[in-house]
Amino acid sequence: MAVGPTIGTGLLIGAGQALAVGGPASLFLSYIVLSFLTFAMTTSLAEVSTHMPSRHGTLITNGYLYLSNSVGFAASYFRWYTLSLFVPYEITSAMVNLGLWKSDAKVAIRMCLITAIVVGTNFLPEKTFKRSEGLFTSIKIGTMASLFVISLALGLGGVNEQTPWGFKYWKHPGAMNEYIVHGAFGRFLAFIQCLLDGSIAFTFAPELIVHRAEMPVSLDAPASLSAAIPGRVTADVFTTAFPYIMSSLAMSAMAPSNDTRLTNNGTGSGFSPYVIGLKDAQIQVVPMIATIGILLSSVASGRSFLYLSSRSLCAMSELGHAPSFFSTRNRWDVPYVAVISSALVSAVAFASVRITSPVTNTYLLRLITSAGSVSSLVSCAVYHQFNQQLKANGITKRYGFSLQPYGTYFGVFFNTLSLLVGGLWAGPKGNLIGSQGARLAVSYLNVVVFGLLYLGHRLQYFQPVVEIERPTDMNGQEHWDSDGPRELRAQKTDPHRKNLDTIPESPEDIELQPSQTMFTDV
């Protein structure tokens, strides 16, 4: 699975909120729509990467190349910021999974322990970290598969002489819930909110899938290898989306959408539908094992996202887009300054000491999903400008998906809609802590953050807000940024480093990585 290292509670716990607001049918349909969106965005990125593969990640390089320096600056720092926010999200999800829903010293102590593990393991030598990541990925995929099999057994065959559950929760309390208003429009609003909540599991999936496919190509970008990217990304989208869709169907059979444990009585995040179903089935030991498995998924995903965010910052520094000290590495090849800087964002998780972990987790979910929409819109703009420059130079792209450019149009529509209706959750007061104004501010904060990054860069160099389009070399070679090739800063580590900064899918992948010093993140 291409996004195996980052499978976390976005799928196992975040889906619980989506189920609670939308109902089982809305959850299932939303995962189908989100899977199609992932395919649309992935094929958009794949067309660009097939023409000119990037070794540093699409949101670090493509903005500079096809749009402007200011957009590239905003997109790359915004990517680092979003990946860093995933770390406190996973930490607070671990608290929610353990049932630590009250603000007290117990939460602070356990949060310190989990944070220490997440941050501390990122200072392990590169080789050691990558081997442990392969193990954690196997555990997470095994947990997801085991929970699916158990839910299948409960749904079809029953356990301990119980009557098979089937899809009884689709009948009672119902397949689709109402949200804010009654009737068909209320069910439509519930489906939209379900899409917004469920998108946490798919954030950055297109970029991770594409970069994993282009990684072997980006060293010398031969046409024969570059042509293999489309087939690889298509296969990876399927192997990622299909388990997610089936998991959403399984979770909808494990817990009713009106179960208050899904949202801690309406205050925010709650237990995973899997854990609720196993507890209701009164199967000994298994609920505890499932809780431990989901906890390990949270911790492992927090490690992965901290790794990705710190290596993004390090890559930006090596390319000259961030201060040089972020690329400082120790003798174990760890960019410790970038790791420390990214880990500081984890302090946001300790807001749970005052306003409870379910509420903190919910606010972080809104921040991350809206940030994902902003990043996706940048990718759509890159694709549009890429096509425009190809036409202007009379160059034929190396590969074109039949879905494009309509898939990109769908991506623009969906992500724009997501940003516009992001404040929908501020409508009903319910039991959520915080004013409606605070919830609205969180929903649209990322638009302001991206705008400030963009304008700050332009004002720094006294450039006009609207930049004159500059010519770009579209000859299909590996690219750097829109100003042409840039000399890398002097590396502070052994230039013959044998390991890529990448999170492998399995321990065997480590031996297959080519030798280079640049950052890749899949």
Side-chain angles (χ1 to χ4, degrees):
M1 183 178 289
V3 294
T6 55
I7 294 174
T9 48
L11 173 65
L12 300 175
I13 288 181
Q17 287 181 275
L19 175 62
V21 70
S26 293
L27 178 66
F28 180 61
L29 291 175
S30 67
Y31 269 57
I32 292 177
V33 173
L34 290 168
S35 296
F36 178 76
L37 175 67
T38 300
F39 180 67
M41 295 302 302
T42 301
T43 54
S44 173
L45 292 171
E47 285 194 8
V48 179
S49 66
T50 300
H51 193 78
M52 288 196 288
S54 167
R55 68 179 68 171
H56 307 295
T58 56
L59 288 182
I60 291 180
T61 54
N62 286 346
Y64 284 100
L65 180 68
Y66 299 109
L67 298 175
S68 71
N69 284 334
S70 296
V71 174
F73 174 87
S76 56
Y77 271 94
F78 196 77
R79 178 183 188 273
W80 166 77
Y81 150 82
T82 307
L83 288 171
S84 298
L85 279 179
F86 266 106
V87 182
Y89 173 77
E90 295 293 347
I91 293 172
T92 55
S93 293
M95 296 297 100
V96 172
N97 175 64
L98 292 174
L100 300 174
W101 295 351
K102 296 181 179 180
S103 301
D104 53 24
K106 186 185 297 185
V107 172
I109 293 173
R110 285 164 173 75
M111 192 172 294
C112 286
L113 178 61
I114 291 177
T115 303
I117 295 173
V118 169
V119 177
T121 53
N122 267 269
F123 287 97
L124 292 173
E126 291 282 297
K127 186 176 181 179
T128 303
F129 181 90
K130 292 170 187 176
R131 291 192 181 278
S132 67
E133 196 64 20
L135 175 62
F136 273 108
T137 298
S138 300
I139 292 175
K140 288 189 287 185
I141 293 177
T143 298
M144 185 173 68
S146 299
L147 291 173
F148 176 77
V149 171
I150 293 175
S151 65
L152 194 65
L154 287 171
L156 299 181
V159 177
N160 295 334
E161 299 181 355
Q162 293 182 5
T163 303
W165 289 359
F167 290 94
K168 66 178 183 179
Y169 297 133
W170 288 57
K171 299 178 181 179
H172 180 76
M176 301 186 75
N177 294 341
E178 297 174 342
Y179 189 61
I180 301 181
V181 298
H182 296 292
F185 187 62
R187 288 189 288 273
F188 173 74
L189 291 180
F191 173 69
I192 295 297
Q193 187 61 54
C194 188
L195 276 172
L196 297 177
D197 291 345
S199 64
I200 185 71
F202 296 82
T203 304
F204 281 126
E207 185 189 355
L208 292 172
I209 291 171
V210 170
H211 204 55
R212 176 175 180 265
E214 70 182 348
M215 184 175 61
V217 183
S218 61
L219 295 178
D220 51 6
S224 58
L225 288 178
S226 182
I229 291 178
R232 294 187 66 183
V233 299
T234 301
D236 282 346
V237 169
F238 177 79
T239 57
T240 299
F242 182 73
Y244 277 24
I245 293 173
M246 297 308 295
S247 293
S248 69
L249 189 62
M251 285 185 282
S252 69
M254 291 293 283
S257 60
N258 60 355
D259 195 310
T260 58
R261 292 171 291 180
L262 289 170
T263 59
N264 186 24
N265 196 31
T267 61
S269 302
F271 285 129
S272 166
Y274 284 122
V275 173
I276 293 175
L278 292 174
K279 288 183 177 180
D280 289 346
Q282 299 180 348
I283 306 175
Q284 294 183 353
V285 181
V286 176
M288 178 64 69
I289 295 175
T291 300
I292 294 174
I294 295 174
L295 174 64
L296 289 175
S297 296
S298 286
V299 174
S301 293
R303 285 167 24 109
S304 299
F305 283 117
L306 180 56
Y307 186 96
L308 292 175
S309 62
S310 61
R311 270 46 176 193
S312 293
L313 190 58
C314 178
M316 290 157 57
S317 175
E318 291 176 344
L319 286 170
H321 303 316
S324 59
F325 56 80
F326 287 124
S327 60
T328 304
R329 294 175 181 263
N330 60 21
R331 61 177 178 171
W332 295 291
D333 211 24
V334 177
Y336 60 92
V337 178
V339 172
I340 293 173
S341 302
S342 300
L344 290 176
V345 182
S346 303
V348 175
F350 287 87
S352 300
V353 178
R354 295 296 301 272
I355 59 174
T356 76
S357 53
V359 175
T360 304
N361 185 262
T362 299
Y363 275 77
L364 286 169
L365 183 148
R366 310 298 177 190
L367 279 174
I368 293 171
T369 52
S370 64
S373 296
V374 173
S375 295
S376 295
L377 286 175
V378 173
S379 297
C380 291
V382 165
Y383 177 81
H384 172 74
Q385 192 63 20
F386 165 73
N387 277 333
Q388 293 295 107
Q389 293 186 21
L390 283 180
K391 293 178 181 178
N393 288 276
I395 299 174
T396 303
K397 66 179 67 174
R398 286 183 172 175
Y399 188 87
F401 287 88
S402 58
L403 181 63
Q404 298 299 340
Y406 306 106
T408 303
Y409 299 156
F410 175 73
V412 171
F413 169 78
F414 182 91
N415 288 291
T416 302
L417 178 65
S418 297
L419 286 176
L420 291 176
V421 301
L424 192 63
W425 75 300
K429 176 60 181 175
N431 297 321
L432 280 174
I433 296 176
S435 65
Q436 291 183 337
R439 282 180 269 165
L440 283 172
V442 168
S443 301
Y444 303 109
L445 175 64
N446 284 312
V447 177
V448 178
V449 171
F450 188 88
L452 290 176
L453 287 170
Y454 174 81
L455 292 175
H457 185 270
R458 300 213 64 75
L459 294 176
Q460 178 184 0
Y461 294 100
F462 300 100
Q463 296 173 331
V465 174
V466 179
E467 185 171 3
I468 299 174
E469 183 177 338
R470 297 164 300 176
T472 303
D473 182 8
M474 301 293 290
N475 59 6
Q477 302 300 317
E478 181 189 4
H479 63 72
W480 296 84
D481 60 33
S482 58
D483 290 331
R486 175 191 297 270
E487 290 294 330
L488 288 180
R489 286 175 171 155
Q491 301 296 313
K492 298 178 174 58
T493 57
D494 180 5
H496 302 293
R497 193 156 49 92
K498 294 184 178 180
N499 294 314
L500 280 172
D501 289 334
T502 179
I503 297 180
E505 293 298 319
S506 65
E508 290 76 9
D509 289 342
I510 298 171
E511 307 302 327
L512 299 177
Q513 305 299 337
S515 174
Q516 64 155 337
T517 61
M518 292 294 93
F519 165 73
T520 52
D521 63 355
V522 288

